[in-house]
Amino acid sequence: MTFNVKEKTIYLMGGLPRSGSTLLMNILGQNPKFYVTSTSGLAQLLTSVRDNWNQIESIKALGSELSDEMQKNVMRSILYGWFKHTDKSVCIDKYHFWPNRLETIAALLGDRERVKILIMVRDLRDVVASFEKVHRKTTALGLTSQEEAHDAQFKTAKGRISLFIDDAQPVGRAFNAIRDAATRGWLDRMHFVEYEQFTHDPNQGMERIYEFLEEEPFLHNFDHVEQITYENDRIYRMKDLHAIQHKVNPAAPQWPHVFDATVLHDPVWKDIEKLAQFWKAYSAAPKPKEESLLGKCQ
């Protein structure tokens, strides 16, 4: 059976890791109209084509106007072809670093106004606490890739936290991607979903998501969330990284029970505290003034 993929509506999900994106995708997947992904390689594939297009000699020999048109056509075919296997009309693609690629998606969708991205966020103290818990669970019987690559730094909780938030690591990279998207003027196309608020009132959270997406509301079941997206966490060498609880329960702060005073009095932790809920500066301030907002998050 062949489907007309051009009729599909494509939305994105990005944001901080350990912030409930897997849970939310599986809740959204209850809607029979929605196709949802696990962590997707689509953005990386599109980036690879973008970065290597002009490395091919015969392509460089084309006129620039024709080459640009062909490149866009190829990348657009990849975007829509990624979802050709499903007959569902709405596709939501999850990748923490999608905020870095919003200009690309706008070019392929043909209109900036068609870009809509859900941004999962969570108190940064709990993000690193969650990674610390996963690390402890994993290292009981295994070795994580981060520990293998940074053995000395992983000997202490303070060292692990510093690595978790490094610009080259998932937390720091996702954090920077969100803030840079705001700098580039994308706030009006971004909808922040705060993990703590969502787990306390998922009905209200879903209402706001459907309003942002401009999709017809759907009655979701928060007491039994079946996991329909799966990832082999052995690839990431971290235990139960993408496993979800099947009931949405209010999330209380974890960090006070995970770290002791040695960590909480450390200068690195104090820096994390200052930025713990950085997204609130964006959502509370007038959206046309993105540059002034960034100053509040420094």
Side-chain angles (χ1 to χ4, degrees), residues 11 27-34 116 118 191 203-220:
Y11 301 124
I27 293 173
L28 287 166
Q30 293 176 347
N31 188 330
K33 182 180 176 181
F34 290 173
K116 292 187 179 184
L118 303 174
H191 177 72
N203 280 298
Q204 183 183 70
M206 292 305 295
E207 286 178 8
R208 291 175 176 173
I209 288 171
Y210 276 93
E211 181 180 356
F212 170 71
L213 297 179
E214 298 180 281
E215 295 287 343
E216 183 179 351
F218 179 81
L219 185 61
H220 289 272

Side-chain angles (χ1 to χ4, degrees), residues 16-22 96 121-139 144 146 154 157 160-161 164-165 170-171 195-196 238-245 251-259 263 269 272:
L16 299 174
R18 311 303 300 160
S19 295
S21 58
T22 302
H96 291 302
V121 289
R122 184 182 189 179
D123 189 305
L124 285 171
R125 294 169 294 185
D126 266 341
V127 171
V128 295
S130 183
F131 266 113
E132 174 69 12
K133 291 173 66 175
V134 171
H135 164 76
R136 294 175 188 178
K137 182 187 293 187
T138 301
T139 54
T144 69
Q146 287 178 318
F154 256 64
R160 291 190 292 274
I161 290 171
F164 292 151
I165 64 173
V171 179
Y195 179 70
E196 292 84 355
M238 300 188 80
K239 187 174 178 60
D240 298 330
L241 192 63
H242 295 97
I244 65 170
Q245 295 185 354
Q254 297 185 44
W255 60 268
H257 313 291
V258 174
F259 300 118
V263 169
W269 185 261
I272 293 174

Side-chain angles (χ1 to χ4, degrees), residues 11 24 39 45 63 68 77 104 111 126 131-132 136 140 152 160 174 194 199 229 237 262 274 297-298:
Y11 301 124
L24 181 55
T39 301
L45 182 58
D68 290 348
S77 296
T104 297
D111 186 351
D126 266 341
F131 266 113
E132 174 69 12
R136 294 175 188 178
R160 291 190 292 274
E194 185 177 324
T199 57
T229 68
R237 295 172 67 177
T262 303
K274 294 175 184 176
C297 293
Q298 297 301 322

